[in-house]
Amino acid sequence: MIKPSETSVSLETLVSLCKRRGFVFPAADIYGGINGVYDFGPLGTLMKKNIRKAWLTSLENKWGSVVELEGSLLAPEAVWKASGHVEGFHDPMIDCKNCKHRYRADDTDLSKGCPHCGKNDWTEVRNFNMMFKTQLGALEGASSTCYLRPETAQAIFVNFKNVLSTCRVKVPFGIAQAGKSFRNEITPKQFLFRMREFEQMEIEWFCKPETSNDFLQQWIDHRLAFYKAIGISSEKIRVREHTKDELAHYAARCVDVEYLFPFGWKEIEGIAHRGAFDLTQHSNHSGKDLAVFDEETKESYMPHVVEASVGTDRLFLTLLYDSYFEDEVEGEKRIVLKIDPTIAPITAAFMPLVKKLSEPVEKLYHAAKRAGLSVQVDDSGASIGKRYRRQDEIGTPFCITYDFESEQDHCVTVRHRDTTKQERIAIEKLMDYLHSHLTKGTRNA
Ligand SMILES: [Zn+2]
């Protein structure tokens, strides 16, 4: 019998699971790691691909088209001056004079003294710009200064006219982009939650100014449906409206989609009404007119932008937290990741009951690969129970066992991760069966 887990998992447990099973490694691990930077291992890479795919699919809507962009990671200083990042993208920083540890002044209780050494002897608070600055080529100087992008959005704004004039799209439409961003965080923390190199999945939705408030609300609802569709517990997801003094300089209205982590409600996606701020700024700074001509009114106007920006790694961490359970199966403890089948890194694991049945299992494996499924073979000599347990721990929804009977009845045993129930399925129907669970995408399959 399965007993649902009562306790919520600790961050340490997740970090260790991620490393043990090849989801996430510390970057440059053999050299001792690097603070706030991580590498994604084979399973983590598969899962991230699935997250991106689910996100992109979820952007489809009945209001207008969505096209994709892959912008550069480097951009010249001019872009970041126009966007406001050179001037305003900083965190308040403070140092302990005694032990030289550095903190974010807005994130530390200064009256309690240094969290590291306990002394209460602080420097002044200084602004620390979080962008990574570098030089292009061998010549130093303002013209060669560029930055690793601190957000993916600017590449979209800068390319707005290029996309509009080449892609047969018209307002309203969206440009979506998934890619890396870089922020030199003073204090990276909570594993994948606050990193210095991270991934964003953003859509910028361009629309007529008078429609922007309605679109903002529609996008909030649309984005919430996504979290439900990928099986995240609805009681752990909430929308939080930004207060007036929290609003970014460009935003007319902004909400955070938050998840209840063990360390509190934290943002996993930001949805903002950016108005005409970005396109206006880039028009003014570049001298290129980014306004759009309205065929009906015969007037030019600057489109408004609704942005929905997901932290891919935060969503990855959310999915791990939300799907991690410890329970008991036939008197034995197990760890199980009840990840939605569409997100799970491996959809099915094929297992010959004994080694000498490996050949037909290899055939099934290759057929599944050709059918575009992410699958594995476990033909180790371990007991079936033990092999099940290994797959449970990485969230594989289906284990498929080929036994002696399979030779006669041309069926295999499909064992379900969440319920541990088993059923016999005809081999000729197996690929359709697996695909149907991937399109349904329901947890507890
Ligand atoms: Zn100190």
Side-chain angles (χ1 to χ4, degrees), residues 64 92 322 338 403 418:
D322 204 63
K338 298 185 177 184
D403 54 26
D418 298 355

Side-chain angles (χ1 to χ4, degrees), residues 92-105 110 113-114 119-128 186:
M93 176 176 72
I94 197 161
D95 294 355
C96 168
K97 281 187 184 165
N98 181 51
C99 74
K100 313 291 180 218
H101 267 71
R102 184 160 278 183
Y103 302 97
R104 254 175 72 170
L110 300 175
C114 170
K119 285 265 163 57
N120 209 330
D121 191 9
W122 300 105
T123 62
E124 292 293 302
V125 176
R126 286 112 66 220
N127 279 333
F128 174 73
I186 298 167

Side-chain angles (χ1 to χ4, degrees), residues 238-372:
R238 75 174 187 191
V239 170
R240 192 181 65 82
E241 193 91 23
H242 277 210
T243 58
K244 274 269 180 294
D245 47 324
E246 240 184 317
L247 281 179
H249 58 282
Y250 52 75
R253 186 188 162 204
C254 186
V255 304
D256 285 347
V257 178
E258 296 184 330
Y259 179 78
L260 182 57
F261 291 97
F263 45 91
W265 288 100
K266 298 285 176 190
E267 178 193 356
I268 52 174
E269 174 165 0
I271 309 172
H273 186 317
R274 298 179 71 117
F277 175 80
D278 306 277
L279 293 181
T280 307
Q281 284 292 104
H282 286 301
S283 282
N284 293 342
H285 282 249
S286 69
K288 307 281 190 308
D289 182 14
L290 300 180
V292 167
F293 186 72
D294 189 329
E295 294 293 344
E296 279 168 33
T297 63
K298 306 290 177 202
E299 278 174 353
S300 276
Y301 70 98
M302 205 57 95
H304 275 196
V305 170
V306 172
E307 171 186 87
S309 172
V310 185
T312 314
D313 315 285
R314 288 186 180 188
L315 179 53
F316 187 100
L317 185 63
T318 300
L319 285 157
L320 291 179
Y321 266 118
D322 204 63
S323 66
Y324 183 101
F325 293 90
E326 288 177 12
D327 59 21
E328 236 173 62
V329 176
E330 286 152 11
E332 213 186 308
K333 258 190 78 170
R334 72 163 180 169
I335 291 168
V336 54
L337 293 184
K338 298 185 177 184
I339 309 180
D340 189 272
T342 59
I343 305 288
I346 305 292
T347 303
F350 293 100
M351 302 171 176
L353 183 67
V354 294
K355 269 258 181 200
K356 68 176 183 182
L357 294 171
S358 288
E359 207 183 300
V361 166
E362 281 290 318
K363 277 187 190 154
L364 281 179
Y365 166 80
H366 287 294
K369 278 282 197 191
R370 280 196 301 275

